Amino acid sequence: MSRTLPSPTRHGRAAIIGASIAGLLAARILAEHFDEVVLLERDPLPEGAAPRKGTPQAVQPHGLLARGRQVLDGLFPGFSEALVAQGALYGDAGGEVAVDANGQRLARATLGVDALACSRLAIEAEIRRRVRALPNVRVLDGVDVIAPVHEDARVTGVRWQRRDADCLAGAEPQTLAAALVVDCSGRASRSPAWLREWGYAAPAEERVQVGIAYTSAYFRRAPGQPPLACVIGAATPALPRPSILIAQEPDAQGRERWVAGVGGYTGDHVATTREAMAERARQINHPEIAALAEHAELIGEPMRYGFPHSQRRRYERLRRFPAGYLVMGDALASFNPIYGQGMTVAACEALALRDALAHGPDSHQGLARRFFKAAARVVDAPWQIAVGGDLALPVVPGPRPFPIKLVNAYLGRLQRAAVHDPVLAGAFLKVVQMLAPPKSLMAPRLMWRVWRGRHRPGAAVAQTAAA
């Protein structure tokens, strides 16, 4: 794990703004190409699986999709095994996962692909441990990045300052020279403002106002109760109230846990009490969460997290962009968290960064153009899933062109047919787990099954009840 990564050519120093999961994965890739990689992070970074101020969402329910696990195992051999040793659950991404839609459970389907059930804190801590062990990676935490240094149409470094007593005493900012700077500072990224200051256009930004909030809590997990690793409650036009239940690794006291969350859009939010969670779970026909909220041992207190809008910044459409600079992770696109896509998208963007660097990071090779185009292809499918799913809900504002209406109507029928059809349920889960693109659900063989399911005995009754 501490070996020097092989690379035919080394390119000085790279700097990364933000030690988020995206930042850590960028460091893993850049360590293959640069003599030194420096991560600059505002928060003091914990040694283990502990929360920090800059990521308040990290204690909320998080899912590492099956595709994300595949990528992380490739970047960090033995990654899954290390988390299983810490108590994570490891099983089939379909057989150990149940999906509810419109108050009904989809048929169970084995996918033949493994997935992990564990906390975001454990995942991030394991990535951070492995990145810190790389011999050419250095972490500067507890620092404020003032701005990248821009000279002659390229970024040449980062100006930064410590956040401790030295900073308060008036210490001068420092400059870290770098051949490449990558902004992984998240949704609040200042890159659009910096670009305008440097004389470039800022990227166009797409937003979908979701106004979602969910109340979540940790509960003690008894062996075999329930006999699943994860239960996903999808938001649908008839029932726009998502839910999630995921098994977690034991806490510091050795208690095995569940994390459960129930949510709603645009003001339809759940009070932060276990009683309110139980009531919402009964309303949406989620028996596992209802039973936990009513009877299980509560670990800590219920908590709420709000998310105003999904956003995507279209860097790939910019005609001019400074050399020596990239933007990655939530600074590129951040999605409604109910779809659980963030960590997996960051992992896939890391692979896009590796491919873009294969031609070298020199400005004449068009690194930014290559990376942003590849990253846009990574983002396209999860953005389509999240935005399409949200715009299917009448409570979410936004334009709905006819193609979106047509696709959402079809997906609604597919979900209803998948209650009785494990083939359709498996195909749907593959898209959810980012193992297949959304267009795969339009395959003729699946469309036939949807049509056939619509006309099976009792289907009309189920569809009327769902409506």
Side-chain angles (χ1 to χ4, degrees):
M1 188 164 51
S2 61
R3 63 186 178 87
T4 301
L5 296 169
S7 177
T9 310
R10 313 298 286 184
H11 298 280
R13 177 188 292 138
I16 301 169
I17 303 171
S20 59
I21 287 180
L24 293 167
L25 295 175
R28 164 63 182 84
I29 299 301
L30 295 178
E32 299 175 2
H33 294 269
F34 290 83
D35 297 306
E36 183 182 38
V37 179
V38 180
L39 280 155
L40 299 103
E41 169 55 45
R42 179 184 175 94
D43 293 335
L45 293 175
E47 289 298 322
R52 56 190 178 91
K53 184 177 179 181
T55 55
Q57 76 277 14
V59 296
Q60 300 287 342
H62 275 74
L64 177 63
L65 304 181
R67 176 56 183 156
R69 184 203 64 79
Q70 291 175 338
V71 176
L72 292 178
D73 270 352
L75 294 176
F76 306 105
F79 181 83
S80 292
E81 288 80 359
L83 286 172
V84 170
Q86 298 170 38
L89 272 70
Y90 189 61
D92 188 85
E96 300 295 327
V97 177
V99 178
D100 293 346
N102 297 311
Q104 294 184 293
R105 184 147 296 175
L106 273 56
R108 298 282 291 281
T110 300
L111 300 186
V113 178
D114 289 323
L116 282 169
C118 59
S119 70
R120 150 78 182 261
L121 294 178
I123 293 167
E124 188 168 4
E126 183 63 21
I127 296 172
R128 187 166 56 238
R129 181 182 71 82
R130 289 175 178 249
V131 169
R132 275 181 146 166
L134 297 173
N136 56 337
V137 172
R138 180 161 59 103
V139 177
L140 292 176
D141 58 356
V143 304
D144 277 327
V145 169
I146 299 169
V149 178
H150 178 262
E151 299 173 340
D152 298 326
R154 72 171 297 124
V155 169
T156 60
V158 177
R159 294 181 69 238
W160 63 277
Q161 191 171 37
R162 291 209 169 271
R163 309 190 75 233
D164 54 18
D166 291 340
C167 176
L168 297 176
E172 289 294 321
Q174 302 183 50
T175 298
L176 180 75
L180 177 65
V181 175
V182 184
D183 177 10
C184 295
S185 60
R187 282 170 61 88
S189 163
R190 289 177 285 167
S191 281
W194 288 332
L195 287 171
R196 286 190 290 265
E197 290 174 9
W198 301 334
Y200 300 87
E205 186 172 291
E206 299 173 8
R207 288 191 176 188
V208 178
Q209 300 290 336
V210 293
I212 193 169
Y214 47 92
T215 297
S216 59
Y218 287 83
F219 297 96
R220 189 113 184 217
R221 177 164 58 90
Q225 180 194 3
L228 290 164
C230 177
V231 182
I232 302 168
T236 66
L239 195 61
R241 293 177 163 181
S243 60
I244 188 70
L245 177 66
I246 309 176
Q248 306 284 270
E249 76 285 351
D251 64 9
Q253 286 71 47
R255 295 175 293 188
E256 295 186 356
R257 303 170 295 162
W258 293 104
V259 63
V262 287
Y265 289 77
T266 59
D268 179 28
H269 301 156
V270 181
T272 52
T273 67
R274 64 184 301 165
E275 293 78 14
M277 292 183 67
E279 176 62 23
R280 176 57 64 88
R282 288 191 293 269
Q283 292 170 354
I284 62 176
N285 193 27
H286 199 310
E288 291 88 0
I289 292 180
L292 289 171
E294 289 172 348
H295 305 296
E297 176 187 340
L298 182 66
I299 301 175
E301 295 297 325
M303 50 197 171
R304 176 182 289 177
Y305 179 70
F307 185 87
H309 59 265
S310 300
Q311 68 181 32
R312 182 178 186 181
R313 298 185 176 114
R314 292 287 194 166
Y315 284 94
E316 76 278 10
R317 296 178 179 174
L318 294 176
R319 293 186 177 183
R320 293 179 58 246
F321 195 80
Y325 195 58
L326 296 175
V327 181
M328 185 172 162
D330 281 0
L332 271 183
S334 61
F335 312 84
N336 183 339
I338 70 166
Y339 300 99
Q341 299 163 321
M343 292 187 288
T344 298
V345 170
C348 293
E349 286 179 4
L351 297 185
L353 177 61
R354 171 185 274 170
D355 291 343
L357 285 165
H359 300 281
D362 186 81
S363 61
H364 300 294
Q365 299 289 339
L367 175 62
R369 182 175 64 254
R370 290 195 306 274
F371 172 72
F372 287 136
K373 286 184 177 180
R377 290 192 292 271
V378 168
V379 171
D380 281 342
W383 183 257
Q384 179 184 348
I385 293 169
V387 171
D390 288 335
L391 290 179
L393 310 178
V395 295
V396 174
R400 292 165 172 82
F402 179 73
I404 288 181
K405 292 180 179 180
L406 188 64
V407 169
N408 284 335
Y410 170 74
L411 291 178
R413 294 189 179 103
L414 184 147
Q415 289 175 343
R416 289 190 287 271
V419 171
H420 308 284
D421 189 335
V423 173
L424 289 176
F428 181 73
L429 263 174
K430 284 182 179 180
V431 173
V432 169
Q433 296 282 358
M434 287 182 61
L435 297 169
K439 66 181 181 181
S440 66
L441 297 177
M442 304 295 180
R445 65 181 183 86
L446 297 181
M447 296 181 76
W448 161 251
R449 299 183 79 94
V450 171
W451 182 86
R452 186 181 65 179
R454 186 182 181 189
H455 295 279
R456 67 182 297 275
V461 175
Q463 290 175 29
T464 300

